[in-house]
Amino acid sequence: MKKFQKVLALGLAATMLGGVFVGCNSQPATEKPAEEKPATEKPAEEKPAEEPAAPASIRVVSMFGGTDPNAVTFDNLVAKYQDANPNVTVEVESATADETWKSNVLTDFAAGNEPDVLHFFTDVTSKTIVEQGKVVPISEIQSVYPDYASNINPAALKSATCPDGVQYAIPTHGYYEGIFVNTDLFEANGVDLPTDWAKLENAITAFAKTDITPIAVALGHIPHYWIEHLILAEGGVQDHSNKDITAVKESWVNGLSYFKKFNDMGAFPVDTATTQNDLVEAQFINKQAAMFLDGSWAVGKFGDTETVALLPIPGTGNGKCDGKQLISGFSSGFYITKKAWDDPAKREAAVKFVQSMTTTEAIGEMVTVAGGGAPAANVGDLKGLSPLGAKGAAMAGEATAVDGAIDGWLAKPAWEYLLSKVAGIAAGTEDPSAVVDQIITLNNAQ
């Protein structure tokens, strides 16, 4: 700036001086002025060549693994990012988001081995990493990168707020849960679809007499969805959302008691306490099971969607659940850790990575590939949804009330204790009332 001011001053002085000379040596109008020599043009300054971006390396941990329908989509987005940012090396670690994976992520954070970017839950599972101060609030990132998360709907961001009331993660798509049913099996066996509780129990009884498993579930591995839905069916959203478990203990006990009733009716695989979720899911896909409870992320896994329907859990008949209430919300997203944010060699690479994973186009693709769900950005009319995806969207649109997952707020020790007791409740070796009492104790201790 100083150099520019000096040049400007000299130019003004020369102009003024020239004016003085012209005034003193003016010629008659008839005299031809002296021919001026053309000014010598100053060569244009050459812009220095842009230096290539400094090499960077980021480690990314996600739950786009296993049988997740968006596993390939995510990998393609990562490849696209790397093509656009050849200076960045991305190390990706993706896996199925089961309890073991969740624990491994939390253990890595506790040991100081957290990744640079994390695709993880925003519910109570995130409480530890938030309390450790190891993830960066979106507002802080936006103070440096104003466009960060600018395309995300405010309602989606609010739904993905972490337990401390702060938004750290950018969601891509929300979820809904329901009962997937192989309609062709119901039709072939003359069984009504489980649109009310009596028909659900009748379906269990009818299929139990065949070689078709009524309900494909691994109670010793992932009983999560049935825990939620049995409590919802018994107590409705009003009791399901009540965090004072003591006040709604009856709904919890009665809901969990259906595990034993269903098991006694022959509802579950004989090895339900020891099998894995992927195996029972395959049973449903291969038409060896009539029903499978899961979320919108599972829609894309079913190829023959013409003969698969998606239904809400019916109410048990006590008037609390009308059969159109759903478990739904935004419960996961992309975090940037303090480890990456505080490292000049990683910050921009991490920010650009998350932005590339959460563009409106990427979100639309994820929702389409997953077969439905709620997009976190305004993607417009999605084309290419399967018939099953359309059914799921219709079910979500007709919901009379929704609530998030119980493990989104229940203290982790209480939730893990409950998971460990479900198979025992089904077998009759655990008392549901005693289990709920212990859940209350563990939850209140946090």
Side-chain angles (χ1 to χ4, degrees), residues 180-193 203 206-207 210-214 283-291 304 307-308:
F180 293 89
V181 295
N182 277 318
T183 56
D184 50 343
L185 296 183
F186 278 80
E187 183 177 351
N189 288 275
V191 181
D192 290 334
L193 294 179
F207 284 115
T210 70
D211 58 354
I212 298 169
T213 300
Q283 280 187 312
F284 179 81
I285 292 173
N286 294 329
K287 305 294 184 180
Q288 297 168 341
M291 294 174 279
D304 185 7
T307 59
V308 178

Side-chain angles (χ1 to χ4, degrees), residues 89-141:
T89 300
V90 183
E91 178 188 344
V92 178
E93 300 171 16
S94 296
T96 300
D98 57 18
E99 293 304 311
T100 300
W101 178 80
K102 291 179 188 178
S103 295
N104 289 340
V105 170
L106 298 179
T107 298
D108 276 353
F109 269 80
N113 188 39
E114 66 270 21
D116 301 304
V117 174
L118 174 67
H119 180 240
F120 196 63
F121 297 99
T122 58
D123 52 26
V124 72
T125 315
S126 69
K127 184 178 180 181
T128 301
I129 63 176
V130 167
E131 290 179 345
Q132 291 172 344
K134 291 190 173 183
V135 286
V136 188
I138 289 176
S139 59
E140 183 177 344
I141 299 173

Side-chain angles (χ1 to χ4, degrees), residues 389-418:
K391 293 172 187 175
M395 180 186 75
E398 295 170 0
T400 56
V402 300
D403 188 34
I406 288 175
D407 64 343
W409 58 264
L410 189 66
K412 193 170 187 292
W415 177 248
E416 291 179 342
Y417 170 80
L418 174 54

Side-chain angles (χ1 to χ4, degrees), residues 160-245:
T161 298
C162 287
D164 65 347
V166 178
Q167 296 162 2
Y168 298 89
I170 301 181
T172 55
H173 52 293
Y175 70 95
Y176 53 76
E177 297 175 8
I179 305 175
F180 293 89
V181 295
N182 277 318
T183 56
D184 50 343
L185 296 183
F186 278 80
E187 183 177 351
N189 288 275
V191 181
D192 290 334
L193 294 179
T195 53
D196 61 40
W197 198 257
K199 290 177 179 177
L200 174 61
E201 292 194 350
N202 179 66
I204 292 172
T205 301
F207 284 115
K209 297 176 181 178
T210 70
D211 58 354
I212 298 169
T213 300
I215 296 174
V217 62
L219 294 182
H221 183 209
I222 301 183
H224 307 46
Y225 311 123
W226 276 103
I227 291 173
E228 312 249 90
H229 284 80
L230 290 177
I231 294 174
L232 177 66
E234 178 67 20
V237 162
Q238 181 177 351
D239 287 1
H240 187 276
S241 62
N242 193 334
K243 298 179 182 179
D244 181 5
I245 305 174

